[in-house]
Amino acid sequence: MGIVEEVGEGVSLLKTGDRVVMPFNVADGRCRNCEEGKTAFCTGVNPGFAGGAYGYVAMGPYRGGQAQYIRVPYADFNALLLPPGKEHETDFIMLADIFPTGWHGVEISGFQAGESIAVFGAGPVGLMAAYSAVLRGACRVYVVDRVPERLGAAEKMGCTPVDFTRGDPVDQIIALNGGMVDRSVDAVGYQAVNSGGTTEQPNIVLENMIRGLSIGTGQCNVKSYNRYLRDLIIAGRAKPSFVVSHEINIDDAEMAYDKFARRIDGYTKVLIHPNGDF
Ligand SMILES: NC(=O)c1ccc[n+]([C@@H]2O[C@H](COP(=O)([O-])OP(=O)(O)OC[C@H]3O[C@@H](n4cnc5c(N)ncnc54)[C@H](O)[C@@H]3O)[C@@H](O)[C@H]2O)c1
């Protein structure tokens, strides 16, 4: 997220000084997948592959976004315009990735208002999935993790925390819910750990979630959601910045990555201010 400094000659909708936020994906807006709203699978920005992203392995020649400046290809399409000023700054930054991604997880689970849902993982993505389920009218939301600060954040927004080191999380949810939940979201990924929290066991969360099998996966098509989520923020109906645990200058990024990787000192979602102006 940032302020437009300069525009190339192919840009007609943006101007210097505009405040914008970009999806983590890079998309051209003109291939078949983009036209169908599947911007995470754009075929035009990363030849031989479906999908491009900033600073990500195998996702094309795009430099990472944690920098003072970023060059945005197909900028008219990729940049989402924000209202001028500084209002909602820490909420809008969530539109780049985790808010749409959490929303997407709930969407592809097939969720409908009134249903119950279990979200595995209370990292930034899991908390945003749980928050999306709350916004979308879930009757009950269970959030599984083992990190106390993260489970605490889930509880604060009205979800039921489930500590998977205190017993099988599925058994705990079934007991609390009086039966199985309607939907579930895996917001952990392949770094899932076993119930002792000691060894990685990549399949454990998927096995926890399985019953009648219908699975959706894949990177989030941020462009399909970010406009609407921006408007929920502007209208005061969503405030995803509650997930922000720390704000730092870019010089402290190495330290923050280390703490985030070890999930210590409450490092859940860290905002990097590359120009040190906060
Ligand atoms: N699809 C997308 O577009 C997209 C976008 C961003 C991130 N991601 C992915 O989403 C996943 C989550 O991202 P994050 O930033 O929130 O990560 P994170 O590592 O901060 O959070 C994962 C959480 O899962 C917990 N966990 C580990 N094993 C578990 C288990 N067995 N049961 C329940 N919880 C368990 C960990 O304690 C941790 O708090 C990652 O795999 C990331 O790559 C996907």
Side-chain angles (χ1 to χ4, degrees):
M1 184 174 105
I3 308 291
V4 176
E5 189 80 15
E6 202 180 313
V7 294
E9 46 187 46
V11 178
S12 56
L13 301 175
L14 299 168
K15 58 181 187 324
T16 301
D18 282 345
R19 185 165 66 143
V20 291
V21 62
M22 257 68 63
F24 69 90
N25 334 90
V26 180
D28 66 8
R30 58 194 67 179
C31 69
R32 185 169 119 177
N33 282 351
C34 281
E35 283 184 352
E36 290 178 359
K38 299 172 195 150
T39 51
F41 306 94
C42 174
T43 54
V45 291
N46 188 8
F49 202 83
Y54 298 100
Y56 205 95
V57 180
M59 298 298 272
Y62 308 103
R63 295 280 182 92
Q66 292 171 7
Q68 282 84 357
Y69 297 95
I70 183 171
R71 178 180 164 274
V72 180
Y74 304 102
D76 279 340
F77 183 68
N78 285 301
L80 178 71
L81 195 60
L82 301 170
K86 287 207 146 197
E87 207 188 352
H88 302 302
E89 191 163 48
T90 52
D91 293 303
F92 287 145
I93 184 64
M94 302 301 147
L95 297 171
D97 185 339
I98 60 164
F99 193 15
T101 295
W103 189 277
H104 183 61
V106 174
E107 176 73 20
I108 60 178
S109 79
F111 173 84
Q112 296 181 45
E115 291 184 330
S116 58
I117 186 166
V119 176
F120 288 79
V125 172
L127 287 173
M128 284 296 109
Y131 186 50
S132 299
V134 170
L135 287 172
R136 294 171 71 157
C139 66
R140 285 179 300 275
V141 183
Y142 301 92
V143 178
V144 184
D145 208 299
R146 65 176 169 135
V147 180
E149 295 91 347
R150 295 179 171 199
L151 289 172
E155 191 168 20
K156 234 175 169 172
M157 65 166 125
C159 304
T160 306
V162 175
D163 184 340
F164 69 84
T165 62
R166 293 197 182 157
D168 185 295
V170 178
D171 290 344
Q172 293 189 60
I173 291 170
I174 288 172
L176 288 160
N177 196 49
M180 281 190 259
V181 286
D182 297 302
R183 311 283 169 185
S184 53
V185 173
D186 173 358
V188 182
Y190 69 89
Q191 286 185 310
V193 293
N194 65 359
S195 56
T198 49
T199 319
E200 281 192 9
Q201 190 182 336
N203 57 323
I204 191 169
V205 169
L206 277 180
E207 285 180 5
N208 285 164
M209 289 165 60
I210 287 171
R211 41 173 198 157
L213 197 54
S214 157
I215 290 185
T217 70
Q219 286 202 339
C220 171
N221 305 306
V222 174
K223 289 280 298 179
S224 295
Y225 312 108
N226 63 359
R227 178 179 303 270
Y228 311 103
L229 300 181
R230 174 198 64 188
D231 293 345
L232 279 177
I233 291 171
I234 292 171
R237 293 193 181 273
K239 203 159 175 37
S241 56
F242 74 85
V243 79
V244 175
S245 57
H246 297 79
E247 297 192 45
I248 59 165
N249 285 314
I250 202 161
D251 296 338
D252 294 325
E254 199 177 328
M255 173 275 298
Y257 266 105
D258 176 53
K259 291 195 169 179
F260 179 79
R262 292 191 282 143
R263 295 175 186 107
I264 58 169
D265 295 347
Y267 273 69
T268 297
K269 187 66 186 172
V270 181
L271 293 193
I272 299 176
H273 291 263
N275 296 304
D277 56 351
F278 74 103

